[in-house]
Amino acid sequence: MKLFLIPFAGGSAVSYLKWKLYFSDEVTIIPLELNGRGMKSGQPFCKNFQEVVETLSNEINQYVNKDERYFIFGHSMGALLALETYYERLKRKEGLPNALFLSGCKPPFLFEKRNVISNLPTKELKNELRRKGGTPEEVLASNELMDYFSPMIRADFKILEEYQFNFEYTKVHCPLVILGGTEDKIEKSELLQWQSLAHDPITLHMFKGNHFFIHSYPKEITKLIEEYLFSVIH
């Protein structure tokens, strides 16, 4: 079974490195890397959300056969990318995922006008990242590390700021498994509204913690995902 993992804004494939410790050998996890970081550090950042989605869908095709079962997990911006990748593959008439795991993200039709973060001066950007959580303090406190990470953070926030949801999309015809943090600014009531985009009943799992609860519960989240994969396959 293949599980593709899409990182959050400012993250990379290594964000899910610890997860390999908890999945069984029957699950092949494939962290997808976004341009401009990690193994793709030499490639230019994608200019818009659609370009990222097209790139992700092309990469999935490199790993799955036409009728092979696979699943996608994404956190925060990664969840939004997972959803849009589903629609991109539907448009292309390519193999669709057997489930989407959407973590730390409310449905895009609830998005309000977003504050512009991508062009903030460095000091204000640091303050905003501290407020959001998820960025290690050692990164925020180091000018050298900020010089390295801030370009990818700004690039990700820029495409998020410009993203527009297509309200003409059809409902998603694969199961949606939603994950949220009890102390996140995203309310449980908002997460439940993913049902409006789902053809079948959604499943919601809440974990104690803020927006980056996934860092606190790798063992529990991977167990949840693996049990779900086995229930679908068997």
Side-chain angles (χ1 to χ4, degrees):
M1 293 180 287
K2 292 176 180 175
L3 173 67
F4 294 94
L5 306 172
I6 305 179
F8 44 85
S12 68
V14 298
S15 303
Y16 297 111
L17 196 59
K18 187 183 294 185
W19 287 27
K20 291 185 178 181
L21 300 174
Y22 302 108
F23 278 112
S24 72
D25 293 338
E26 295 184 64
V27 179
T28 301
I29 67 168
I30 305 169
L32 295 174
E33 192 69 276
L34 305 184
N35 285 9
R37 67 209 75 191
M39 296 295 290
K40 292 186 175 182
S41 59
Q43 299 183 21
F45 297 115
C46 291
K47 297 181 180 66
N48 53 58
F49 219 82
Q50 181 60 27
E51 188 178 341
V52 181
V53 168
E54 291 171 1
T55 302
L56 292 174
S57 191
N58 290 340
E59 289 202 19
I60 289 172
N61 287 340
Q62 296 176 20
Y63 290 98
V64 297
N65 300 319
K66 183 178 178 182
D67 299 318
E68 188 175 1
R69 290 184 172 185
Y70 70 94
F71 306 82
I72 304 177
F73 174 96
H75 181 73
S76 196
M77 181 185 78
L80 193 56
L81 286 169
L83 175 71
E84 289 290 344
T85 299
Y86 170 91
Y87 284 120
E88 176 67 17
R89 297 183 69 78
L90 181 66
K91 180 178 72 176
R92 297 185 187 186
K93 298 182 180 179
E94 294 175 337
L96 297 174
N98 288 84
L100 295 178
F101 296 88
L102 306 177
S103 173
C105 183
K106 60 186 173 183
F109 56 79
L110 293 181
F111 285 3
E112 308 93 4
K113 182 176 174 58
R114 291 177 287 282
N115 294 329
V116 176
I117 299 171
S118 59
N119 60 2
L120 287 176
T122 301
K123 183 178 179 180
E124 293 178 38
L125 177 63
K126 287 181 180 181
N127 291 337
E128 187 65 24
L129 293 174
R130 281 195 179 94
R131 187 185 67 80
K132 287 179 174 294
T135 305
E137 185 59 36
E138 56 264 31
V139 172
L140 297 173
S142 167
N143 291 334
E144 183 177 344
L145 289 175
M146 277 300 295
D147 286 344
Y148 176 79
F149 284 106
S150 63
M152 68 183 72
I153 293 171
R154 292 182 188 279
D156 289 347
F157 278 123
K158 185 176 186 295
I159 63 170
L160 273 174
E161 290 157 5
E162 297 173 352
Y163 168 78
Q164 296 290 330
F165 177 66
N166 184 350
F167 285 87
E168 296 182 1
Y169 279 154
T170 59
K171 292 194 174 185
V172 176
H173 277 253
C174 75
L176 297 185
V177 182
I178 313 301
L179 294 80
T182 57
E183 297 164 28
D184 194 354
K185 290 196 303 181
I186 302 172
E187 301 286 344
K188 182 179 179 180
S189 60
E190 293 177 304
L191 295 173
L192 287 169
Q193 291 191 57
W194 276 106
Q195 186 60 61
S196 297
L197 281 177
H199 179 267
D200 300 312
I202 66 169
T203 306
L204 174 62
H205 301 272
M206 299 297 293
F207 293 84
K208 186 175 181 181
N210 60 20
H211 186 61
F212 285 94
F213 63 89
I214 60 168
H215 295 326
S216 301
Y217 302 98
K219 185 176 182 179
E220 292 81 359
I221 292 173
T222 52
K223 180 182 178 183
L224 181 158
I225 293 173
E226 182 157 334
E227 287 178 351
Y228 186 88
L229 301 192
F230 281 121
S231 72
V232 171
I233 296 298
H234 300 300

